[in-house]
């Protein structure tokens, strides 16, 4: 029993660590997704095989990919570590690996930006209190200049070859899989990892850097479709809409619409966790879609983020538009059929039992395990600043914040404010933190020093019952 408990703790710890890595990467990439989309549209329209080929405008494509995007990643990574000062030296350090390389250095920005910011932060802390009044600006400017100068040269001469070697090795591995038509088999790992909220680590850490490199060489890449084909999860949600039970069935139709048009994958993951066997649906759906994309040369010109149907269409080049659309709906149909089979099989099994589960059972997405703990804290501490956090702070948390804000207004609570943020950016003045139950352990680990702040896990961002309980607790705390 003790060994099983230790193994479970180790697995949870490993999952939290991987989620943290994914969150760290997404915090650098997500603020720049709009720039990636702009570049993708530029490529889709104006490259020689684009919708409106234009040699002059095509001249923008390569420089933006080579210089702007890695430097933006490096700046944001440095900024996340040490504000504007960290961003400045992060961008400078990234240029060293960018100029020295003949390939796209997103990975260089992801490493050099935060590293340079960390070094200048440590230096500033080391000399704090030793600078005479009036010399602060001089020391700040020259310390950043000298340290930046050294990191720039170090990156250009030594780090760039290392990163180029790593990318070449990864690219060779991907090419090996593509030549042998094995790319579809990556779904065996990718879809279960998505359900554990490790999608950012997969997409931003692996698929986007190598995919952009392939786009620069061939004009498109199938790798952008490995993790971001939203049809897999839309099919799962449609199956729950028809054959699910309780709250899962009631909320699944709205979730399916949000997934199709908005591409927020996190909204679908809790449904798969209700019945883990249904993960086979998105897995087989993605295998089928990637198999077709590989045979008929599908692929997009940029990251499909969010993973909506509309985003897929916008990022599809002219010569792959039809294939990509077919791949989306093939993934949807296969996922729907597989998930429907298991849900219907489950209904047959349950019908033979007397203890039919209701919508409040532990397996339902309405489980709200932290209500008693929250009520205890709320009795002595008014809740006014509510934070809804997700990995990137832009998808499921934004949707949850919108729903809870509407309920706060309806309940006439003018002093209560709701905002959505990334997990790593939760402010210190939060009175209540709400997050997905899958990310609960990570939030606890990040904010274990603030033990007085209640952290509430929810299973379904569209479940009104969970928000009603939260509103009741807020009212009780006032």
């Amino acid at each position: 029993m003790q060994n099983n408990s230790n193994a479970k703790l180790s697995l949870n710890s490993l999952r939290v660590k991987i989620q943290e890595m994914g969150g760290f990467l997404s915090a650098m990439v997500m603020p720049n997704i709009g720039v990636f989309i702009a570049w993708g549209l530029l490529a889709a329209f104006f490259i020689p095989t684009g919708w409106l080929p234009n040699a002059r405008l095509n001249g923008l494509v390569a420089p933006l990919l080579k210089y702007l995007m890695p430097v933006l990643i490096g700046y944001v990574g440095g900024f996340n570590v040490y504000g504007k000062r960290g961003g400045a030296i992060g961008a400078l350090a990234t240029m060293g690996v960018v100029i020295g390389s003949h390939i796209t250095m997103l990975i260089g920005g992801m490493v050099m930006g935060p590293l340079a910011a960390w070094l200048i932060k440590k230096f500033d802390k080391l000399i704090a209190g030793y600078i005479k009044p009036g010399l602060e600006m001089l020391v700040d400017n020259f310390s950043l200049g000298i340290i930046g100068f050294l990191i720039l040269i170090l990156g250009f001469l030594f780090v760039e070859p290392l990163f180029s070697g790593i990318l070449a090795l990864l690219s060779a591995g991907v090419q090996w899989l593509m030549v042998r038509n094995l790319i579809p088999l990556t779904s065996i790992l990718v879809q279960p990892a998505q359900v554990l909220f490790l999608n950012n680590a997969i997409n931003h850490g692996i698929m986007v850097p190598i995919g952009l490199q392939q786009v620069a060489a061939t004009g498109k890449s199938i790798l952008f479709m490995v993790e971001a084909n939203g049809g897999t999860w839309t099919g799962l949600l449609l199956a729950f809409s028809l054959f699910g039970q309780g709250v899962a069935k009631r909320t699944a139709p709205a979730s399916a619409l949000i997934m199709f048009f908005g591409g927020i994958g996190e909204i679908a993951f809790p449904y798969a966790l209700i019945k883990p066997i249904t993960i086979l649906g998105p897995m087989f759906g993605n295998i089928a879609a990637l198999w077709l994309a590989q045979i008929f040369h599908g692929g997009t010109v940029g990251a499909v983020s969010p993973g909506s149907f509309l985003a897929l269409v916008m990022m599809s080049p002219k010569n792959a538009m039809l294939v990509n659309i077919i791949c989306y709906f093939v993934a949807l149909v296969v996922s729907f059929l597989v998930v429907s089979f298991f849900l219907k099989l489950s209904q047959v099994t349950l019908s033979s039992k007397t203890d039919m589960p209701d919508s409040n059972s532990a397996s339902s997405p309405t489980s709200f395990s932290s209500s008693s703990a929250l009520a205890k804290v709320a009795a002595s501490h008014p809740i006014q600043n509510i934070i809804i956090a997700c990995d990137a702070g832009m998808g499921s948390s934004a949707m949850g914040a919108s729903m809870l804000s509407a309920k706060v207004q309806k309940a006439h609570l003018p002093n209560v404010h709701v905002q959505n943020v990334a997990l790593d950016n939760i402010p210190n003045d939060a009175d209540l933190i709400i997050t997905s139950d899958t990310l609960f352990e990570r939030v606890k680990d990040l904010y274990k020093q603030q033990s007085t702040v209640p952290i509430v896990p929810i299973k379904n961002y569209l479940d009104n019952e969970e928000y009603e309980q939260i509103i009741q607790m807020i009212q009780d705390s006032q």
Side-chain angles (χ1 to χ4, degrees):
M1 183 67 70
Q2 184 66 32
N3 290 337
N4 290 337
S5 178
N6 290 338
K8 185 176 181 180
L9 287 174
S10 297
L11 287 174
N12 285 336
S13 178
L14 178 61
R15 184 180 70 179
V16 168
K17 293 298 182 184
I18 299 176
Q19 286 175 347
E20 288 175 351
M21 181 185 70
F24 183 74
L25 294 173
S26 67
M28 289 187 276
V29 176
M30 289 302 290
N32 296 308
I33 284 294
V35 178
F36 282 35
I37 291 174
W39 179 85
L41 292 173
L42 193 71
F45 278 99
F46 302 125
I47 62 175
T49 57
W51 292 97
L52 299 171
N54 185 295
R56 180 171 173 79
L57 292 176
N58 183 45
L60 294 170
V61 174
L64 289 176
L65 177 61
K66 179 174 175 59
Y67 297 106
L68 177 64
M69 292 199 284
V71 171
L72 280 176
I73 295 291
Y75 176 84
V76 174
F79 182 89
N80 290 342
V81 172
Y82 198 36
K84 292 181 180 179
R85 186 165 166 82
I89 195 171
L92 177 64
T94 301
M95 281 301 294
V97 295
V98 167
I99 295 173
S101 176
H102 64 282
I103 60 178
T104 305
M105 266 293 158
L106 289 186
I107 189 174
M110 291 177 181
V111 174
M112 296 302 291
L115 176 62
W118 179 80
L119 289 174
I120 195 68
K121 182 178 181 180
K122 289 296 182 181
F123 177 82
D124 287 352
K125 185 177 180 180
L126 184 65
I127 66 172
Y130 293 99
I131 307 303
K132 293 183 179 181
L135 297 178
E136 293 88 353
M137 183 178 293
L138 180 68
V139 173
D140 283 351
N141 288 339
F142 271 88
S143 61
L144 190 148
I146 293 171
I147 294 174
F149 162 78
L150 294 173
I151 296 176
L152 181 71
I153 294 176
L154 181 68
F156 183 81
L157 294 179
F158 301 106
V159 179
E160 183 277 325
L162 175 63
F163 288 163
S164 292
I166 293 173
L167 276 176
L169 183 63
L170 291 174
S171 297
V174 170
Q175 188 64 29
W176 186 88
L177 291 173
M178 293 182 70
V179 168
R180 289 160 178 78
N181 296 324
L182 296 177
I183 285 290
L185 296 184
T186 59
S187 303
I188 296 173
L189 299 176
V190 169
Q191 266 58 52
Q194 284 183 296
V195 172
L196 297 177
F197 286 73
L198 306 179
N199 46 316
N200 286 321
I202 295 168
N203 203 25
H204 300 150
I206 301 172
M207 301 303 172
V208 170
I210 302 177
L212 287 174
Q213 189 63 36
Q214 290 187 348
V215 171
T218 64
K220 62 187 175 184
S221 175
I222 192 177
L223 296 183
F224 296 124
M225 301 173 66
V226 170
E227 187 271 341
N229 187 342
T232 59
W233 299 108
T234 305
L236 177 140
L237 291 168
L238 290 175
F240 270 93
S241 299
L242 293 178
F243 306 111
Q245 295 181 347
V247 174
K249 183 173 184 176
R250 293 197 302 271
T251 59
S255 297
L257 284 175
I258 292 172
M259 184 66 233
F260 183 82
F261 291 107
I264 303 174
E266 290 87 348
I267 198 172
F269 302 160
Y271 292 86
L273 291 172
I274 295 171
K275 184 171 286 297
I277 190 68
T278 59
I279 297 173
L280 290 175
M283 189 186 299
F284 288 138
N286 210 37
I287 288 174
L290 290 172
W291 179 72
L292 286 174
Q294 195 162 253
I295 291 176
F296 296 104
H297 307 293
T300 66
V301 297
V304 183
S305 182
S308 70
F309 177 73
L310 298 179
L312 177 68
V313 170
M314 290 178 65
M315 291 293 102
S316 295
K318 180 171 61 174
N319 61 0
M321 175 69 76
L322 180 60
V323 175
N324 290 349
I325 291 175
I326 292 173
C327 287
Y328 183 93
F329 285 103
V330 164
L332 186 155
V333 171
V334 172
S335 179
F336 171 80
L337 292 175
V338 173
V339 175
S340 296
F341 169 79
F342 285 112
L343 291 179
K344 292 178 72 174
L345 183 65
S346 175
Q347 288 178 354
V348 172
T349 303
L350 287 172
S351 65
S352 64
K353 298 180 180 181
T354 57
D355 54 336
M356 291 287 287
D358 59 27
S359 62
N360 293 319
S361 67
S363 63
S364 167
T366 56
S367 176
F368 197 81
S369 59
S370 298
S371 59
S372 61
L374 176 58
K376 181 178 179 180
V377 176
S380 59
H381 184 74
I383 296 175
Q384 296 183 335
N385 189 18
I386 302 174
I387 301 299
I388 300 186
C390 70
D391 203 14
M394 300 175 67
S396 50
S397 62
M399 179 178 61
S402 177
M403 290 189 64
L404 186 57
S405 293
K407 291 189 174 295
V408 165
Q409 292 180 1
K410 186 177 180 180
H412 304 292
L413 298 167
N415 295 323
V416 176
H417 305 283
V418 183
Q419 62 175 316
N420 57 290
V421 301
L423 292 184
D424 293 323
N425 296 327
I426 296 176
N428 293 327
D429 60 349
D431 298 317
L432 171 64
I433 300 172
I434 301 171
T435 191
S436 163
D437 62 341
T438 312
L439 298 172
F440 180 63
E441 293 297 328
R442 182 176 162 200
V443 177
K444 282 203 309 181
D445 185 61
L446 285 171
Y447 297 94
K448 55 189 174 185
Q449 303 299 327
Q450 297 171 271
S451 57
T452 60
V453 178
I455 303 172
V456 177
I458 60 175
K459 287 184 175 294
N460 191 329
Y461 283 99
L462 288 181
D463 186 2
N464 278 316
E465 293 182 23
E466 295 196 89
Y467 292 119
E468 290 293 345
Q469 292 183 58
I470 293 172
I471 289 294
Q472 183 60 53
M473 295 169 195
I474 295 170
Q475 291 173 327
D476 293 342
S477 76
Q478 302 303 307

